[in-house]
Amino acid sequence: RHPRWGGAPSTPRVDAVTPPAVPAPPRTASLGRRFAAWAVDWVLCLLIVFGLLPYDVVVEPGVEPPLLLGVPESSWALMGVFAALNIVLVGFTGSTVGHRLLGLQVWPVRPGSFLLQVVVRTALLCLFLPAVVTRSDGRGWHDSLAGTRIVRL
């Protein structure tokens, strides 16, 4: 009621204001989930190399495939396609096809050029060993050295 008409002044009701919930930071992705994303990306690269590029999956018995530094050229092509897809997709979207399918994304943890961090991360990822060796926080060595972190969204 209004005080002019004989009622008590109305006071606005004050509720306890709860601060907005702060979202928890995303968790570091597990090794199994990261490996599954890598496998999806690797199969995609296999399809590109052997489906679109002029390499045969099987050569004739007794015929040696073309070699470069003692390694079949198709293996170099496969690694090149894998590296190129990682640099382009992670550099511009934060995730590869495998990452997207499994709900993962690469985040920077150090200031600096993210694209440069992605190039370093990809070069180390192509060595494979740093990716399977993890630190106590669950990050692979390649992520740690590149200043990145792969998280589960």
Side-chain angles (χ1 to χ4, degrees):
R1 300 182 107 187
H2 197 274
R4 187 173 193 178
W5 295 295
S10 61
T11 57
R13 185 174 174 201
V14 178
D15 290 332
V17 178
T18 57
V22 177
R27 295 176 296 168
T28 299
S30 68
L31 183 61
R33 195 171 276 271
R34 289 184 293 152
F35 181 77
W38 172 85
V40 168
D41 294 334
W42 194 256
V43 168
L44 178 65
C45 292
L46 281 168
L47 293 173
I48 291 170
V49 168
F50 293 111
L52 301 177
L53 299 178
Y55 293 106
D56 292 329
V57 177
V58 179
V59 294
E60 297 293 323
V63 176
E64 191 170 304
L67 301 177
L68 178 65
L69 300 175
V71 178
E73 287 179 2
S74 60
S75 296
W76 291 108
L78 181 61
M79 191 60 69
V81 168
F82 180 76
L85 281 179
N86 263 276
I87 290 169
V88 170
L89 293 177
V90 174
F92 293 106
T93 67
S95 58
T96 63
V97 174
H99 293 160
R100 288 259 179 204
L101 290 175
L102 290 154
L104 305 177
Q105 191 171 34
V106 178
W107 285 10
V109 294
R110 278 199 304 252
S113 168
F114 182 60
L115 190 57
L116 180 61
Q117 291 173 336
V118 169
V119 169
V120 170
R121 179 184 188 276
T122 301
L124 293 169
L125 183 61
C126 287
L127 297 175
F128 192 73
L129 184 59
V132 295
V133 179
T134 59
R135 294 176 16 154
S136 60
D137 63 358
R139 291 169 51 204
W141 278 9
H142 67 299
D143 279 324
S144 187
L145 292 172
T148 59
R149 173 180 168 210
I150 188 161
V151 297
R152 183 172 177 196
L153 299 177

